[in-house]
Each structure stands twice: as structure tokens, then as C-alpha cells.
Amino acid sequence: MDGNGRWAKERGLPRTEGHKIGAEVFEKICDHCCDIGIPCVSFYAFSTENWARPQEEVAQIMDLLRHWLQKAEERQEENRRRGIRLRFIGEMSKLPDDIQQLAQDAQKKTKAHSNMICNLAVNYGGRQEILQAAKRLALQCQRREKDPMSLTEEDISKAIYTPEFPDMDLLIRPSGELRISNFLLWQSAYAEFWYSNTLWPDFTTQELDKAVADFAQRGRRFGGAQ
Ligand code: FPP
């Protein structure tokens, strides 16, 4: 969800205003994904590198997250009606205790919802995720539960944060940036990229529809010949 800072700067507002509108757009786009039948969508809300931002900005992003989680709690019935299951990935243990608790509750309460998974990456890093998976598998090998030479890609897919998710099909990056920025590195091996110059607070449901329509036109070969 990139470009919040620039969006605010263009309007002479503090960066934090951009994040505030960005959080509203997140909710709108998430609901729209559910409405158009996308089974799983992930949003990059806060990276392991984002702690380097000014303390005030980090605190405000955490506040937005807290506020949204409290609202999700109040809107449990609406979540049930929509059938959205909430999931979090990242090193959650480094987040404020109340946010960890709220996130856990939201995951538990929406566990049975089956229309769409909305996955929020918070304190997430793709390399960190792969490193954690490697450590988990190394321990299983040490305990002789697995044989190192027989490890498969599937073993890694099962050891990362998202064992129950499908591989990523489409990666949308707004705000004109052309980088993957450590996002879902393992899952995006064959993802189709879609870039847009729109800053995240200006991102619309129509633009999402356009990305999905473009995606539907792509010929995906997964390394094979056409
Ligand atoms: C990147 O844009 C954005 C972030 C690091 C924060 C995104 C967080 C939210 C939208 C709110 C999270 C809350 C919920 C409820 C999901 P940037 O600040 O780097 O923008 P810039 O590149 O223009 O500076």
C-alpha cells in the first residue's frame, strides 16, 4: 500500500494523513476483492524495515491497525455475513501486546469464514519468512523427523507463514515503484506483476478491476512453452 507519504505531501498534509486515508482504501479494496470473488488477498501493511521510520509515524500506523482491529471486533456479524477470514503474517511477537491479542482474536473469530482470506502482512519480511522456515526444517532434520536430502519445495511451502494459501497469481504495486520489496518472495515465484502510478490513497475499485482484467489476458506458461 505504497505512496501514502507522497499523497499527503502533495496536499501539504502530514504523512500520517496519507496512512489514514490508506487504511480506508484498504478496507474498501478488501471488500471489493470479496465481492468479485477473489479467494485470497494479501496486503503489505508494515515491513520489518518500516521500524526505521520516525517513531511518531510508526506509532500512528500501529494506532490505525489497532483501531481497525477493534472495529473488526465490533463488526463481527458483518464479517460473518461477508465470509471474510482474517489472517496475519509477520513477526507478530514484536508488536504491542494489545495488537497481538486483537489480531489473535480476529483470526480465531473469523476462522470458519470461507468466502475469502484477507491476509495482512505486519512486521513482515519475505527473507525473514524463508529464514524462519529454514530454521523450522533444520530442527525437524536434527530431530530426525525429516531427511535433509529428501526435502522438497512442498516442505518449504508448508513451513512458511502461509501453508494453507495458494501461490500468488497477481502482484499489484501502486505508486510507480517497480520493486518487489521483500514481499511474499517464496509465494510470488510465478506471480504476474501489475504496476500503476496511482498513489495508494487514490487507488480505486475500478483500478483493481482493470488489474484483474489485464491479468485474465496474460498467457501464463509457468516456465513451459506455449
Ligand atoms: C507505504 O507508503 C505505506 C506504509 C509503510 C504503511 C501502510 C499502512 C497503512 C495503509 C495502514 C495500515 C492499517 C490497516 C488497517 C491495514 P509510504 O509511506 O512509503 O509512501 P511514500 O512512498 O509515498 O513515502
Side-chain angles (χ1 to χ4, degrees):
M1 295 185 279
D2 227 345
N4 299 340
R6 276 164 286 166
W7 183 92
K9 196 171 168 207
E10 279 173 7
R11 289 159 179 78
L13 298 167
R15 292 176 57 79
T16 47
E17 273 306 299
H19 296 318
K20 199 169 135 201
I21 305 300
E24 290 171 15
V25 171
F26 151 73
E27 201 167 63
K28 215 183 308 167
I29 296 295
C30 176
D31 285 350
H32 187 67
C33 286
C34 189
D35 292 346
I36 64 174
I38 289 175
C40 181
V41 60
S42 300
F43 294 86
Y44 206 172
F46 195 82
S47 75
T48 44
E49 291 75 31
N50 285 152
W51 295 108
R53 292 183 176 220
Q55 222 177 348
E56 190 199 330
E57 185 175 342
V58 171
Q60 195 248 2
I61 294 173
M62 293 299 150
D63 271 350
L64 286 170
L65 196 57
R66 180 179 289 113
H67 180 70
W68 178 73
L69 280 164
Q70 284 163 344
K71 219 172 57 173
E73 174 112 327
E74 287 161 19
R75 286 227 212 130
Q76 177 57 13
E77 181 49 31
E78 173 68 12
N79 279 341
R80 193 196 57 73
R81 192 186 64 76
R82 280 193 173 272
I84 298 177
R85 177 179 172 194
L86 297 174
R87 278 278 270 112
F88 291 83
I89 56 166
E91 209 37 75
M92 299 298 283
S93 61
K94 302 276 183 338
L95 300 179
D97 287 346
D98 64 323
I99 294 188
Q100 286 184 50
Q101 192 57 54
L102 282 164
Q104 268 178 25
D105 291 350
Q107 289 192 136
K108 218 184 287 170
K109 286 189 177 144
T110 60
K111 205 174 169 174
H113 301 171
S114 56
N115 284 343
M116 184 184 80
I117 297 173
C118 170
N119 185 33
L120 259 182
V122 186
N123 194 24
Y124 173 86
R127 285 186 169 183
Q128 179 72 13
E129 175 178 34
I130 294 170
L131 177 63
Q132 293 292 348
K135 286 182 183 171
R136 203 166 302 151
L137 290 171
L139 270 176
Q140 289 175 5
C141 290
Q142 197 180 38
R143 290 193 218 109
R144 300 193 185 283
E145 293 162 12
K146 282 196 192 298
D147 165 27
M149 296 317 289
S150 308
L151 288 176
T152 60
E153 290 185 8
E154 204 191 335
D155 286 318
I156 298 183
S157 293
K158 281 186 182 152
I160 55 174
Y161 291 135
T162 56
E164 75 276 38
F165 292 8
D167 269 357
M168 190 200 295
D169 287 315
L170 172 62
L171 175 63
I172 298 176
R173 179 138 196 185
S175 91
E177 306 287 1
L178 302 175
R179 293 184 295 275
I180 190 159
S181 295
N182 208 13
F183 188 52
L184 298 174
L185 295 180
W186 181 263
Q187 298 87 334
S188 64
Y190 285 100
E192 296 289 328
F193 279 21
W194 196 87
Y195 298 106
S196 146
N197 286 327
T198 306
L199 304 176
W200 178 251
D202 288 328
F203 201 85
T204 59
T205 55
Q206 288 85 352
E207 194 155 5
L208 183 84
D209 290 343
K210 168 110 178 55
V212 173
D214 285 353
F215 168 78
Q217 299 299 318
R218 304 247 182 120
R220 303 184 78 197
R221 296 190 298 281
F222 300 95
Q226 204 156 31

